mmCIF file of all heavy atoms in Angstrom:
data_model
loop_
_atom_site.group_PDB
_atom_site.id
_atom_site.type_symbol
_atom_site.label_atom_id
_atom_site.label_comp_id
_atom_site.label_asym_id
_atom_site.label_seq_id
_atom_site.Cartn_x
_atom_site.Cartn_y
_atom_site.Cartn_z
ATOM 1 N N PHE A 33 -4.323 9.486 -1.593
ATOM 2 C CA PHE A 33 -5.068 8.287 -1.217
ATOM 3 C C PHE A 33 -4.949 8.055 0.291
ATOM 4 O O PHE A 33 -3.910 8.327 0.888
ATOM 5 C CB PHE A 33 -4.489 7.044 -1.908
ATOM 6 C CG PHE A 33 -4.388 7.147 -3.402
ATOM 7 C CD1 PHE A 33 -3.328 7.812 -3.991
ATOM 8 C CD2 PHE A 33 -5.355 6.568 -4.214
ATOM 9 C CE1 PHE A 33 -3.229 7.908 -5.366
ATOM 10 C CE2 PHE A 33 -5.258 6.658 -5.593
ATOM 11 C CZ PHE A 33 -4.196 7.329 -6.168
ATOM 12 N N TYR A 35 -5.411 4.734 2.941
ATOM 13 C CA TYR A 35 -5.572 3.289 3.086
ATOM 14 C C TYR A 35 -5.591 2.951 4.583
ATOM 15 O O TYR A 35 -4.994 3.647 5.398
ATOM 16 C CB TYR A 35 -4.410 2.524 2.438
ATOM 17 C CG TYR A 35 -4.312 2.644 0.935
ATOM 18 C CD1 TYR A 35 -3.634 3.705 0.340
ATOM 19 C CD2 TYR A 35 -4.899 1.692 0.104
ATOM 20 C CE1 TYR A 35 -3.534 3.815 -1.041
ATOM 21 C CE2 TYR A 35 -4.798 1.791 -1.284
ATOM 22 C CZ TYR A 35 -4.115 2.855 -1.837
ATOM 23 O OH TYR A 35 -4.028 2.954 -3.212
ATOM 24 N N GLN A 37 -4.633 -0.230 7.172
ATOM 25 C CA GLN A 37 -3.923 -1.495 7.239
ATOM 26 C C GLN A 37 -4.099 -2.109 8.624
ATOM 27 O O GLN A 37 -3.523 -1.637 9.608
ATOM 28 C CB GLN A 37 -2.436 -1.325 6.930
ATOM 29 C CG GLN A 37 -1.682 -2.648 6.848
ATOM 30 C CD GLN A 37 -0.246 -2.494 6.397
ATOM 31 O OE1 GLN A 37 0.318 -1.390 6.442
ATOM 32 N NE2 GLN A 37 0.365 -3.567 5.937
ATOM 33 N N GLY A 40 -1.393 -7.610 10.267
ATOM 34 C CA GLY A 40 -1.243 -8.833 9.490
ATOM 35 C C GLY A 40 -1.923 -8.824 8.138
ATOM 36 O O GLY A 40 -1.993 -9.862 7.467
ATOM 37 N N GLN A 41 -2.404 -7.675 7.723
ATOM 38 C CA GLN A 41 -3.101 -7.559 6.441
ATOM 39 C C GLN A 41 -2.393 -6.567 5.528
ATOM 40 O O GLN A 41 -1.543 -5.792 5.968
ATOM 41 C CB GLN A 41 -4.539 -7.093 6.671
ATOM 42 C CG GLN A 41 -5.367 -8.009 7.554
ATOM 43 C CD GLN A 41 -5.567 -9.369 6.952
ATOM 44 O OE1 GLN A 41 -5.878 -9.507 5.764
ATOM 45 N NE2 GLN A 41 -5.358 -10.410 7.747
ATOM 46 N N GLY A 42 -2.771 -6.588 4.271
ATOM 47 C CA GLY A 42 -2.300 -5.562 3.359
ATOM 48 C C GLY A 42 -3.144 -4.310 3.490
ATOM 49 O O GLY A 42 -4.249 -4.343 4.045
ATOM 50 N N PRO A 43 -2.643 -3.201 2.989
ATOM 51 C CA PRO A 43 -3.438 -1.969 3.023
ATOM 52 C C PRO A 43 -4.739 -2.118 2.240
ATOM 53 O O PRO A 43 -4.775 -2.775 1.197
ATOM 54 C CB PRO A 43 -2.519 -0.942 2.339
ATOM 55 C CG PRO A 43 -1.141 -1.497 2.484
ATOM 56 C CD PRO A 43 -1.296 -2.977 2.409
ATOM 57 N N PHE A 45 -7.944 0.138 0.557
ATOM 58 C CA PHE A 45 -8.306 1.463 0.079
ATOM 59 C C PHE A 45 -9.463 2.044 0.864
ATOM 60 O O PHE A 45 -10.458 1.371 1.154
ATOM 61 C CB PHE A 45 -8.678 1.372 -1.401
ATOM 62 C CG PHE A 45 -9.278 2.622 -1.974
ATOM 63 C CD1 PHE A 45 -8.473 3.689 -2.333
ATOM 64 C CD2 PHE A 45 -10.644 2.729 -2.142
ATOM 65 C CE1 PHE A 45 -9.030 4.846 -2.860
ATOM 66 C CE2 PHE A 45 -11.209 3.873 -2.665
ATOM 67 C CZ PHE A 45 -10.403 4.934 -3.023
ATOM 68 N N TYR A 48 -10.003 8.518 -2.206
ATOM 69 C CA TYR A 48 -9.079 9.074 -3.188
ATOM 70 C C TYR A 48 -9.490 10.489 -3.563
ATOM 71 O O TYR A 48 -10.677 10.762 -3.797
ATOM 72 C CB TYR A 48 -9.072 8.165 -4.422
ATOM 73 C CG TYR A 48 -8.543 8.779 -5.698
ATOM 74 C CD1 TYR A 48 -7.244 9.294 -5.758
ATOM 75 C CD2 TYR A 48 -9.322 8.814 -6.844
ATOM 76 C CE1 TYR A 48 -6.763 9.838 -6.932
ATOM 77 C CE2 TYR A 48 -8.846 9.364 -8.018
ATOM 78 C CZ TYR A 48 -7.561 9.872 -8.064
ATOM 79 O OH TYR A 48 -7.068 10.415 -9.231
ATOM 80 N N ASP A 56 -13.463 9.208 -5.121
ATOM 81 C CA ASP A 56 -13.846 7.841 -4.768
ATOM 82 C C ASP A 56 -13.779 7.720 -3.247
ATOM 83 O O ASP A 56 -12.724 7.942 -2.658
ATOM 84 C CB ASP A 56 -12.902 6.838 -5.435
ATOM 85 C CG ASP A 56 -13.334 5.385 -5.266
ATOM 86 O OD1 ASP A 56 -14.191 5.090 -4.405
ATOM 87 O OD2 ASP A 56 -12.797 4.520 -5.983
ATOM 88 N N SER A 58 -15.473 4.949 -1.858
ATOM 89 C CA SER A 58 -16.143 3.656 -1.750
ATOM 90 C C SER A 58 -15.578 2.773 -0.648
ATOM 91 O O SER A 58 -16.243 1.851 -0.186
ATOM 92 C CB SER A 58 -16.064 2.912 -3.090
ATOM 93 O OG SER A 58 -14.712 2.663 -3.435
ATOM 94 N N ALA A 98 -2.932 11.833 -12.026
ATOM 95 C CA ALA A 98 -3.990 10.842 -12.023
ATOM 96 C C ALA A 98 -3.636 9.813 -13.090
ATOM 97 O O ALA A 98 -2.880 10.092 -14.003
ATOM 98 C CB ALA A 98 -5.321 11.487 -12.336
ATOM 99 N N GLY A 99 -4.176 8.630 -12.943
ATOM 100 C CA GLY A 99 -3.820 7.592 -13.904
ATOM 101 C C GLY A 99 -3.196 6.439 -13.179
ATOM 102 O O GLY A 99 -2.247 6.615 -12.436
ATOM 103 N N GLY A 100 -3.699 5.248 -13.388
ATOM 104 C CA GLY A 100 -3.355 4.131 -12.527
ATOM 105 C C GLY A 100 -1.917 3.692 -12.563
ATOM 106 O O GLY A 100 -1.464 3.040 -11.634
ATOM 107 N N SER A 101 -1.163 4.039 -13.612
ATOM 108 C CA SER A 101 0.199 3.524 -13.691
ATOM 109 C C SER A 101 1.185 4.370 -12.912
ATOM 110 O O SER A 101 2.350 3.999 -12.776
ATOM 111 C CB SER A 101 0.643 3.437 -15.148
ATOM 112 O OG SER A 101 0.635 4.725 -15.734
ATOM 113 N N THR A 103 3.234 5.985 -9.898
ATOM 114 C CA THR A 103 3.684 5.433 -8.621
ATOM 115 C C THR A 103 3.044 6.178 -7.458
ATOM 116 O O THR A 103 3.019 7.406 -7.441
ATOM 117 C CB THR A 103 5.205 5.538 -8.510
ATOM 118 O OG1 THR A 103 5.800 4.775 -9.557
ATOM 119 C CG2 THR A 103 5.698 5.013 -7.163
ATOM 120 N N GLN A 104 2.535 5.438 -6.506
ATOM 121 C CA GLN A 104 2.038 6.022 -5.270
ATOM 122 C C GLN A 104 3.154 5.977 -4.235
ATOM 123 O O GLN A 104 3.758 4.929 -3.996
ATOM 124 C CB GLN A 104 0.810 5.264 -4.774
ATOM 125 C CG GLN A 104 -0.398 5.439 -5.691
ATOM 126 C CD GLN A 104 -1.640 4.765 -5.186
ATOM 127 O OE1 GLN A 104 -1.830 4.562 -3.985
ATOM 128 N NE2 GLN A 104 -2.539 4.415 -6.108
ATOM 129 N N PHE A 106 4.165 6.404 -0.358
ATOM 130 C CA PHE A 106 3.479 6.243 0.919
ATOM 131 C C PHE A 106 4.176 6.994 2.048
ATOM 132 O O PHE A 106 5.411 7.107 2.084
ATOM 133 C CB PHE A 106 3.387 4.755 1.288
ATOM 134 C CG PHE A 106 2.319 4.034 0.534
ATOM 135 C CD1 PHE A 106 2.539 3.594 -0.769
ATOM 136 C CD2 PHE A 106 1.077 3.793 1.107
ATOM 137 C CE1 PHE A 106 1.540 2.933 -1.479
ATOM 138 C CE2 PHE A 106 0.075 3.136 0.410
ATOM 139 C CZ PHE A 106 0.307 2.713 -0.887
ATOM 140 N N GLY A 107 3.372 7.457 2.988
ATOM 141 C CA GLY A 107 3.881 8.013 4.218
ATOM 142 C C GLY A 107 4.126 6.930 5.248
ATOM 143 O O GLY A 107 3.863 5.755 4.997
ATOM 144 N N PRO A 108 4.612 7.324 6.430
ATOM 145 C CA PRO A 108 4.944 6.338 7.464
ATOM 146 C C PRO A 108 3.729 5.764 8.180
ATOM 147 O O PRO A 108 3.829 4.753 8.859
ATOM 148 C CB PRO A 108 5.800 7.129 8.437
ATOM 149 C CG PRO A 108 5.346 8.542 8.266
ATOM 150 C CD PRO A 108 4.968 8.680 6.825
ATOM 151 N N ASN B 32 -2.583 -2.770 -14.129
ATOM 152 C CA ASN B 32 -1.226 -2.386 -13.761
ATOM 153 C C ASN B 32 -0.872 -3.200 -12.525
ATOM 154 O O ASN B 32 -1.720 -3.420 -11.653
ATOM 155 C CB ASN B 32 -1.148 -0.895 -13.412
ATOM 156 C CG ASN B 32 -1.603 -0.009 -14.542
ATOM 157 O OD1 ASN B 32 -1.130 -0.114 -15.665
ATOM 158 N ND2 ASN B 32 -2.544 0.887 -14.250
ATOM 159 N N PHE B 34 2.062 -4.097 -9.322
ATOM 160 C CA PHE B 34 3.095 -3.464 -8.502
ATOM 161 C C PHE B 34 3.588 -4.456 -7.445
ATOM 162 O O PHE B 34 2.836 -5.298 -6.958
ATOM 163 C CB PHE B 34 2.523 -2.247 -7.752
ATOM 164 C CG PHE B 34 1.853 -1.225 -8.624
ATOM 165 C CD1 PHE B 34 0.558 -1.416 -9.090
ATOM 166 C CD2 PHE B 34 2.515 -0.054 -8.971
ATOM 167 C CE1 PHE B 34 -0.074 -0.466 -9.886
ATOM 168 C CE2 PHE B 34 1.898 0.897 -9.771
ATOM 169 C CZ PHE B 34 0.603 0.689 -10.230
ATOM 170 N N TYR B 36 5.450 -3.742 -3.774
ATOM 171 C CA TYR B 36 5.942 -2.795 -2.781
ATOM 172 C C TYR B 36 6.675 -3.573 -1.692
ATOM 173 O O TYR B 36 6.339 -4.727 -1.402
ATOM 174 C CB TYR B 36 4.789 -2.019 -2.147
ATOM 175 C CG TYR B 36 4.311 -0.830 -2.948
ATOM 176 C CD1 TYR B 36 3.373 -0.985 -3.970
ATOM 177 C CD2 TYR B 36 4.784 0.454 -2.688
ATOM 178 C CE1 TYR B 36 2.931 0.105 -4.703
ATOM 179 C CE2 TYR B 36 4.343 1.557 -3.415
ATOM 180 C CZ TYR B 36 3.424 1.365 -4.414
ATOM 181 O OH TYR B 36 2.989 2.465 -5.144
ATOM 182 N N GLN B 38 8.287 -3.221 2.425
ATOM 183 C CA GLN B 38 8.335 -2.462 3.673
ATOM 184 C C GLN B 38 9.443 -3.043 4.535
ATOM 185 O O GLN B 38 9.287 -4.138 5.107
ATOM 186 C CB GLN B 38 6.999 -2.522 4.398
ATOM 187 C CG GLN B 38 6.922 -1.597 5.599
ATOM 188 C CD GLN B 38 5.497 -1.414 6.096
ATOM 189 O OE1 GLN B 38 4.637 -2.260 5.914
ATOM 190 N NE2 GLN B 38 5.235 -0.287 6.729
ATOM 191 N N HIS B 43 8.610 2.931 5.757
ATOM 192 C CA HIS B 43 7.317 2.950 5.088
ATOM 193 C C HIS B 43 7.364 2.143 3.786
ATOM 194 O O HIS B 43 8.438 1.755 3.325
ATOM 195 C CB HIS B 43 6.887 4.385 4.820
ATOM 196 C CG HIS B 43 7.906 5.185 4.070
ATOM 197 N ND1 HIS B 43 8.878 5.932 4.690
ATOM 198 C CD2 HIS B 43 8.111 5.341 2.746
ATOM 199 C CE1 HIS B 43 9.629 6.508 3.791
ATOM 200 N NE2 HIS B 43 9.185 6.161 2.593
ATOM 201 N N LEU B 44 6.205 1.891 3.242
ATOM 202 C CA LEU B 44 6.088 1.173 1.980
ATOM 203 C C LEU B 44 6.806 1.926 0.865
ATOM 204 O O LEU B 44 6.653 3.137 0.732
ATOM 205 C CB LEU B 44 4.614 1.043 1.581
ATOM 206 C CG LEU B 44 3.806 -0.090 2.190
ATOM 207 C CD1 LEU B 44 2.324 0.140 1.933
ATOM 208 C CD2 LEU B 44 4.237 -1.425 1.623
ATOM 209 N N LEU B 46 8.099 1.468 -3.470
ATOM 210 C CA LEU B 46 7.918 0.700 -4.684
ATOM 211 C C LEU B 46 9.188 -0.065 -5.044
ATOM 212 O O LEU B 46 10.282 0.498 -5.070
ATOM 213 C CB LEU B 46 7.545 1.638 -5.833
ATOM 214 C CG LEU B 46 7.249 0.957 -7.164
ATOM 215 C CD1 LEU B 46 5.916 0.218 -7.088
ATOM 216 C CD2 LEU B 46 7.219 1.990 -8.294
ATOM 217 N N LYS B 49 7.148 -2.053 -11.066
ATOM 218 C CA LYS B 49 5.769 -2.017 -11.540
ATOM 219 C C LYS B 49 5.720 -2.410 -13.006
ATOM 220 O O LYS B 49 6.686 -2.244 -13.741
ATOM 221 C CB LYS B 49 5.142 -0.637 -11.339
ATOM 222 C CG LYS B 49 5.779 0.479 -12.163
ATOM 223 C CD LYS B 49 5.083 1.811 -11.875
ATOM 224 C CE LYS B 49 5.701 2.936 -12.694
ATOM 225 N NZ LYS B 49 5.067 4.253 -12.395
ATOM 226 N N PHE B 51 3.109 -1.873 -16.374
ATOM 227 C CA PHE B 51 1.856 -1.336 -16.913
ATOM 228 C C PHE B 51 1.705 -1.605 -18.407
ATOM 229 O O PHE B 51 0.603 -1.559 -18.928
ATOM 230 C CB PHE B 51 1.677 0.155 -16.608
ATOM 231 C CG PHE B 51 2.817 1.027 -17.013
ATOM 232 C CD1 PHE B 51 2.831 1.664 -18.240
ATOM 233 C CD2 PHE B 51 3.887 1.246 -16.155
ATOM 234 C CE1 PHE B 51 3.880 2.489 -18.618
ATOM 235 C CE2 PHE B 51 4.941 2.064 -16.520
ATOM 236 C CZ PHE B 51 4.936 2.688 -17.760
ATOM 237 N N PHE B 90 4.606 -6.731 -0.605
ATOM 238 C CA PHE B 90 3.194 -6.658 -0.966
ATOM 239 C C PHE B 90 3.044 -6.566 -2.480
ATOM 240 O O PHE B 90 3.668 -5.714 -3.118
ATOM 241 C CB PHE B 90 2.533 -5.435 -0.335
ATOM 242 C CG PHE B 90 2.432 -5.478 1.165
ATOM 243 C CD1 PHE B 90 3.423 -4.923 1.954
ATOM 244 C CD2 PHE B 90 1.340 -6.074 1.785
ATOM 245 C CE1 PHE B 90 3.337 -4.957 3.337
ATOM 246 C CE2 PHE B 90 1.245 -6.114 3.171
ATOM 247 C CZ PHE B 90 2.240 -5.556 3.946
ATOM 248 N N ASN B 94 -4.027 -2.419 -9.902
ATOM 249 C CA ASN B 94 -5.154 -1.549 -10.183
ATOM 250 C C ASN B 94 -5.504 -1.667 -11.653
ATOM 251 O O ASN B 94 -4.758 -2.264 -12.440
ATOM 252 C CB ASN B 94 -4.932 -0.105 -9.741
ATOM 253 C CG ASN B 94 -3.825 0.610 -10.491
ATOM 254 O OD1 ASN B 94 -3.345 0.149 -11.519
ATOM 255 N ND2 ASN B 94 -3.428 1.751 -9.974
ATOM 256 N N GLY B 95 -6.651 -1.162 -12.009
ATOM 257 C CA GLY B 95 -7.120 -1.282 -13.373
ATOM 258 C C GLY B 95 -6.826 -0.017 -14.162
ATOM 259 O O GLY B 95 -6.654 1.058 -13.593
ATOM 260 N N GLY B 97 -7.321 3.242 -15.835
ATOM 261 C CA GLY B 97 -8.339 4.258 -15.604
ATOM 262 C C GLY B 97 -8.813 4.358 -14.176
ATOM 263 O O GLY B 97 -9.614 5.226 -13.858
ATOM 264 N N THR B 98 -8.326 3.462 -13.320
ATOM 265 C CA THR B 98 -8.624 3.588 -11.887
ATOM 266 C C THR B 98 -7.307 3.744 -11.148
ATOM 267 O O THR B 98 -6.267 3.314 -11.638
ATOM 268 C CB THR B 98 -9.371 2.373 -11.327
ATOM 269 O OG1 THR B 98 -8.483 1.249 -11.321
ATOM 270 C CG2 THR B 98 -10.579 2.041 -12.162
ATOM 271 N N ASP B 99 -7.371 4.327 -9.994
ATOM 272 C CA ASP B 99 -6.127 4.624 -9.294
ATOM 273 C C ASP B 99 -5.936 3.810 -8.024
ATOM 274 O O ASP B 99 -4.816 3.559 -7.638
ATOM 275 C CB ASP B 99 -6.082 6.111 -8.943
ATOM 276 C CG ASP B 99 -5.981 6.975 -10.186
ATOM 277 O OD1 ASP B 99 -7.014 7.167 -10.854
ATOM 278 O OD2 ASP B 99 -4.872 7.430 -10.490
ATOM 279 N N LYS B 100 -7.022 3.418 -7.380
ATOM 280 C CA LYS B 100 -6.864 2.769 -6.088
ATOM 281 C C LYS B 100 -6.186 1.420 -6.260
ATOM 282 O O LYS B 100 -6.468 0.665 -7.192
ATOM 283 C CB LYS B 100 -8.216 2.589 -5.402
ATOM 284 C CG LYS B 100 -9.174 1.657 -6.112
ATOM 285 C CD LYS B 100 -10.494 1.597 -5.359
ATOM 286 C CE LYS B 100 -11.474 0.656 -6.025
ATOM 287 N NZ LYS B 100 -12.800 0.678 -5.345
ATOM 288 N N LEU B 101 -5.274 1.142 -5.357
ATOM 289 C CA LEU B 101 -4.541 -0.111 -5.376
ATOM 290 C C LEU B 101 -5.269 -1.151 -4.530
ATOM 291 O O LEU B 101 -5.779 -0.838 -3.460
ATOM 292 C CB LEU B 101 -3.130 0.081 -4.820
ATOM 293 C CG LEU B 101 -2.168 0.899 -5.677
ATOM 294 C CD1 LEU B 101 -0.882 1.178 -4.916
ATOM 295 C CD2 LEU B 101 -1.860 0.176 -6.981
ATOM 296 N N PHE B 103 -4.325 -4.522 -2.609
ATOM 297 C CA PHE B 103 -3.123 -5.194 -2.121
ATOM 298 C C PHE B 103 -3.413 -6.632 -1.713
ATOM 299 O O PHE B 103 -4.521 -6.966 -1.268
ATOM 300 C CB PHE B 103 -2.578 -4.477 -0.883
ATOM 301 C CG PHE B 103 -1.848 -3.200 -1.166
ATOM 302 C CD1 PHE B 103 -2.525 -2.005 -1.280
ATOM 303 C CD2 PHE B 103 -0.466 -3.196 -1.311
ATOM 304 C CE1 PHE B 103 -1.854 -0.820 -1.532
ATOM 305 C CE2 PHE B 103 0.221 -2.016 -1.558
ATOM 306 C CZ PHE B 103 -0.479 -0.828 -1.671
ATOM 307 N N GLY B 104 -2.383 -7.465 -1.809
ATOM 308 C CA GLY B 104 -2.416 -8.767 -1.169
ATOM 309 C C GLY B 104 -2.113 -8.619 0.309
ATOM 310 O O GLY B 104 -1.835 -7.517 0.806
ATOM 311 N N THR B 105 -2.139 -9.747 1.012
ATOM 312 C CA THR B 105 -1.931 -9.710 2.460
ATOM 313 C C THR B 105 -0.470 -9.629 2.855
ATOM 314 O O THR B 105 -0.160 -9.451 4.025
ATOM 315 C CB THR B 105 -2.544 -10.953 3.115
ATOM 316 O OG1 THR B 105 -2.032 -12.120 2.468
ATOM 317 C CG2 THR B 105 -4.059 -10.940 3.019
ATOM 318 N N GLY B 106 0.429 -9.757 1.889
ATOM 319 C CA GLY B 106 1.842 -9.582 2.178
ATOM 320 C C GLY B 106 2.557 -10.896 2.446
ATOM 321 O O GLY B 106 1.955 -11.885 2.882
#
Side-chain angles (χ1 to χ4, degrees):
Chain A
F33 306 81
Y35 294 86
Q37 186 174 17
Q41 301 296 315
F45 171 79
Y48 161 58
D56 187 345
S58 62
S101 61
T103 298
Q104 292 183 27
F106 282 81
Chain B
N32 302 307
F34 306 79
Y36 277 85
Q38 188 166 26
H43 54 269
L44 277 167
L46 183 72
K49 65 180 180 182
F51 53 94
F90 293 93
N94 65 13
T98 69
D99 293 78
K100 65 182 181 184
L101 291 172
F103 284 86
T105 53

